[in-house]
Amino acid sequence: MFVLILAYLGGVLTIISPCILPVLPFVFARADRPFAREGLPLLAGMGLTFALVATLAAVGGQWAIQLNQGGRWLAMAVLALMGLALLWPRLADVLARPFVALGGRWSRHADGGSPWSASGLGVATGLLWAPCAGPILGLVLTTAALQGASVTTTVLLLAFSAGAATSLALALMLGGRFLASMKRALGIGEWLRRALGVLVLAGVAAIALGLDTGLLTRLSLASTARIEQRLVDVFADDPAPPSPVPQLGVPLPVEGWMPPLDGATGWFNSPPLTRAGLRGRVVLVDFWTYSCINCLRALPYVSDWAAKYRDHGLVVLGVHTPEFAFEKTPGNVARAIESLGIGHPVALDNDYAIWRAFDNRYWPAHYFVDAQGRIRYHHFGEGGYERSEDVIRRLLADAGATGLPGGYVSGDGRDAGAPASTDYTRTPETYLGHARAERFAGGELVRGVATDYYAPAALALHQWALQGRWTVTAEHARLERPGGSVVMRFRGRDLHLVMAPIAGDRPVRFRVTLDGAAPGADAGSDVDAQGQGTLDADRLYQLIRLRDGSDERRFEITFPEGGARIYAFTSG
C-alpha cells in the first residue's frame, strides 16, 4: 500500500516536473471543451497508454523499447497534423488519404467534440509522455523489471499515471474556465485556436529534437527529483536486521519457516525440489545472479560447502533471481552455471516468486534452514564465511550427523571470483542506466533518446562519462554508432563491467586503456596485454586487475564496431 501511495504522489508531482511541459499543449488544446466529454477521455487514454508502454519497457526487453520509439514518431506525426489543422482549418479538408485523413478527422473532432477523438488524442499523447520518469517512477519500473509482468506492476504504473492525470485534470478544469471567459469577453476564439496550433507544433518539435527529456530538464527550476526522493525515503520499508551472532551453548533463534519453492520457472542440476521433499535435510538457500560481482566472490565458498557436506545431510540450493533482463534467459543462466562449475541444484526464479516468499532484498543472501524446515540464521552480502560454516556444522549436528569434517573451506576463487581487495575507498557499484545512474560527468543523461555525448577531459574520482552516440534506457546504455566509448576515473584493484552484444550471438570487439595506454600486466582476465577483448555473451567482464594492488586510474573502453550494451561497473 505504501508503494502504491508513493507512486500516486509521484504522479501528482509531475505537474511541476519539466518532463510534463511538452504534454501540456496537447492537453490544453481541449481546455475550452466540456471536461466530461473531452478532457476526461483524453486523460484516460493518456494514462492507460502510459501504463501499457511503461510496462512493456520494464519487462519486455529491447523490442519493446524499439516499439515505443516507433510509436513516439507515429504519435508526433499525427499530432503535428492536428497542430497544422488547428492553424489552417481548410487544410484538414485538403490533406488526403489515408494517414493524413486521420489527422484531418482528429482536427475536425477538435472542433466538434468527440469522446473517441479525445481518447485517441490521449493515446498519442501517452506515447510521448511515456519516457518521463523521476526517482519514484524509476523505482516502480525497476521493481517491474525485477519481478516480471504482473497485476501489481500494472497497478503501480496506473497509480502513477492516475496521480499525474489528477494534476492535469485540475489544471484542465481551471484552464477551461479561464479560456472560456477570455473568449466571451474578448472574442479571440479564432486567434486562440491558432495559438494552440502553434503550441502543439512547438511541442512536437521539442520532442522530436529530444528537448523534452534533455534541455527542458536542464533549464527547469521546478525539478521534483529531490521531493520524489524524499518520498521514497519516507515510505520505503526498513531493511531486515542481521541475525544475532551465534553463541556457544545458546540455541539459534527460529526466524520462521522455509517458504515453498513452487514459483520457480525452471531447474538446473536437479529435478524440481519442494519444501516437503527437503524436510529432514539441512538446507542452505543461496540467492544469487550470475552478473553480480558479490555473488561471484561468494560462490566459491557456497560450492565448497556443497561438496564438503553433501554426504552429511546438507543440500545447497541456489536461487537464481535476475537483476538484469538478459539474466532471465535460461540459456544464459545454463552457460553461466557450466562456466562457473556449479554442481548443486539451482532454481530459476525469473518471476521473483521465491525472492518474495523469503522477503529477500539482497544479492547474495544466504538462509540456513534446519532439518525441520525452520530458518535459523541468515547472512547478506559477502564475508562471514567461517561463521556461516559453523552454523552449517551446528545444524547438521542437531540433525544427528556425526563425523563432520573440521576446518574451513578456502573458497579460493579466480578472476572475477577472487576475494575483493581490502581497499574500502574503492569505487562503488555504478549503474549506467538512467533509473539508477550516479556520478555521471558528461552533462545530462537523456532518457530513451539517441544523443551525442562528449566526455570531459578531466574526471573526479568515481565519475564516469560517455563519448559518442548512445541511447540511455532505464537499465543500460546502448551504443548507436561505431567508435563510442565509456570513461571512468576509478579506484580499486579490479574493474569489471556488465555488458552484452546488441546482435545476440555476434561477437563485438572492444579495447581498454589505463591512463591512455594499453594495460599490459594490469589487464583483467577478459582482455589481453594490448587491451583487446571480445564481447561474446551477456555477462560481467573483468577488464582490469592491477598487479600492484589498489590505485586510482583513468579507464576507457572503446567499441570500434559499435554493437554494445553496457549496464554497470563494479570494482574490487
Side-chain angles (χ1 to χ4, degrees):
M1 178 59 71
F2 282 149
V3 176
L4 192 65
I5 295 172
L6 186 65
Y8 178 81
L9 292 177
V12 170
L13 288 171
T14 58
I15 194 64
I16 57 171
S17 175
C19 62
I20 204 68
L21 297 181
V23 174
L24 292 180
F26 311 128
V27 174
F28 282 106
R30 303 266 172 150
D32 59 343
R33 306 288 195 255
F35 177 76
R37 183 176 176 81
E38 298 209 25
L40 187 59
L42 181 146
L43 294 174
M46 190 175 153
L48 290 173
T49 302
F50 170 81
L52 175 62
V53 172
T55 300
L56 290 174
V59 301
Q62 194 60 36
W63 66 270
I65 295 171
Q66 294 171 350
L67 177 64
N68 182 31
Q69 292 301 313
R72 280 166 57 83
W73 285 108
L74 178 61
M76 283 188 283
V78 174
L79 290 169
L81 286 175
M82 174 195 156
L84 290 172
L86 285 170
L87 278 173
W88 298 292
R90 293 183 182 179
L91 183 61
D93 297 326
V94 176
L95 294 175
R97 316 154 239 317
F99 177 74
V100 177
L102 176 61
R105 266 199 308 276
W106 281 20
S107 174
R108 289 193 295 272
H109 284 319
D111 292 330
S114 165
W116 293 108
S117 68
S119 61
L121 176 61
V123 169
T125 308
L127 285 168
L128 298 172
W129 178 36
C132 175
I136 289 178
L137 185 56
L139 175 68
V140 173
L141 291 177
T142 300
T143 302
L146 291 176
Q147 296 183 355
S150 66
V151 174
T152 301
T153 295
T154 304
V155 168
L156 287 173
L157 292 167
L158 284 173
F160 185 93
S161 59
T166 300
S167 294
L168 289 172
L170 292 174
L172 188 57
M173 287 187 290
L174 293 175
R177 295 174 185 173
F178 176 73
L179 292 175
S181 64
M182 286 183 64
K183 289 176 67 176
R184 286 194 302 269
L186 303 176
I188 60 169
E190 181 67 16
W191 289 104
L192 181 60
R193 183 181 57 78
R194 292 180 179 178
L196 290 174
V198 171
L199 287 175
V200 168
L201 292 175
V204 170
I207 294 167
L209 294 173
L211 300 181
D212 58 323
T213 53
L215 180 61
L216 289 175
T217 300
R218 291 190 287 272
L219 295 180
S220 174
L221 298 178
S223 177
T224 61
R226 292 183 180 178
I227 301 174
E228 293 179 1
Q229 190 60 56
R230 288 174 184 171
L231 287 172
V232 171
D233 295 338
V234 167
F235 286 106
D237 296 333
D238 294 332
S243 290
V245 177
Q247 302 291 332
L248 290 175
V250 178
L252 295 171
V254 176
E255 300 180 355
W257 291 94
M258 177 181 173
L261 306 173
D262 302 337
T265 57
W267 287 86
F268 300 95
N269 298 337
S270 170
L273 300 178
T274 65
R275 177 173 58 180
L278 291 170
R279 188 65 58 89
R281 309 290 296 275
V282 173
V283 181
L284 165 58
V285 180
D286 171 33
F287 283 93
W288 71 294
T289 188
Y290 78 83
S291 72
C292 163
I293 185 62
N294 308 98
C295 301
L296 295 178
R297 290 174 186 150
L299 191 57
Y301 295 90
V302 174
S303 296
D304 285 355
W305 291 331
K308 183 176 180 179
Y309 297 104
R310 180 185 299 116
D311 296 335
H312 299 275
L314 176 69
V315 174
V316 172
L317 169 59
V319 178
H320 186 276
T321 312
E323 181 177 13
F324 300 114
F326 65 78
E327 293 175 312
K328 293 184 176 183
T329 304
N332 288 346
V333 181
R335 283 189 292 271
I337 289 173
E338 181 179 3
S339 65
L340 294 169
I342 298 173
H344 54 264
V346 175
L348 193 60
D349 189 29
N350 279 354
D351 294 338
Y352 269 57
I354 303 175
W355 176 284
R356 290 194 298 268
F358 275 81
D359 195 23
N360 185 54
R361 301 188 193 178
Y362 303 96
W363 293 283
H366 300 145
Y367 294 86
F368 299 80
V369 182
D370 67 16
Q372 300 179 52
R374 302 173 300 179
I375 299 174
R376 306 296 297 275
Y377 183 75
H378 68 266
H379 183 272
F380 300 139
E382 299 179 62
Y385 301 116
E386 291 187 0
R387 182 182 299 170
S388 294
E389 188 165 356
D390 285 338
V391 170
I392 292 173
R393 277 199 288 258
R394 189 166 175 176
L395 295 179
L396 289 172
D398 291 344
T402 58
L404 295 173
Y408 298 100
V409 301
S410 62
D412 291 333
R414 298 177 302 161
D415 301 330
S421 70
T422 57
D423 182 1
Y424 297 107
T425 65
R426 62 181 181 264
T427 296
E429 187 169 18
T430 303
Y431 291 94
L432 308 181
H434 66 69
R436 292 183 283 179
E438 295 180 296
R439 299 177 294 277
F440 180 70
E444 294 287 339
L445 284 175
V446 181
R447 298 171 178 177
V449 177
T451 303
D452 291 320
Y453 292 92
Y454 303 93
L459 294 174
L461 181 60
H462 309 322
Q463 285 187 330
W464 63 283
L466 298 171
Q467 178 71 36
R469 191 165 185 82
W470 296 80
T471 297
V472 180
T473 71
E475 188 178 68
H476 63 263
R478 182 179 69 248
L479 182 57
E480 302 292 353
R481 290 177 183 168
S485 61
V486 192
V487 186
M488 169 176 269
R489 189 160 191 84
F490 80 99
R491 180 174 180 81
R493 182 197 65 199
D494 309 329
L495 188 65
H496 314 93
L497 179 58
V498 178
M499 301 186 288
I502 291 178
D505 56 358
R506 190 181 74 183
V508 174
R509 293 187 303 112
F510 63 84
R511 182 181 70 254
V512 303
T513 61
L514 272 180
D515 299 328
D522 292 324
S525 59
D526 288 301
V527 299
D528 61 21
Q530 287 71 45
Q532 303 291 335
T534 301
L535 177 58
D536 57 4
D538 309 358
R539 63 180 177 89
L540 178 144
Y541 291 77
Q542 186 185 72
L543 304 176
I544 299 298
R545 165 63 65 84
L546 298 181
R547 63 184 183 276
D548 294 328
S550 185
D551 198 1
E552 181 179 330
R553 308 291 288 272
R554 181 185 172 92
F555 165 88
E556 183 170 5
I557 180 170
T558 303
F559 302 93
E561 302 164 353
R565 298 194 307 269
I566 54 175
Y567 292 79
F569 280 109
T570 56
S571 62

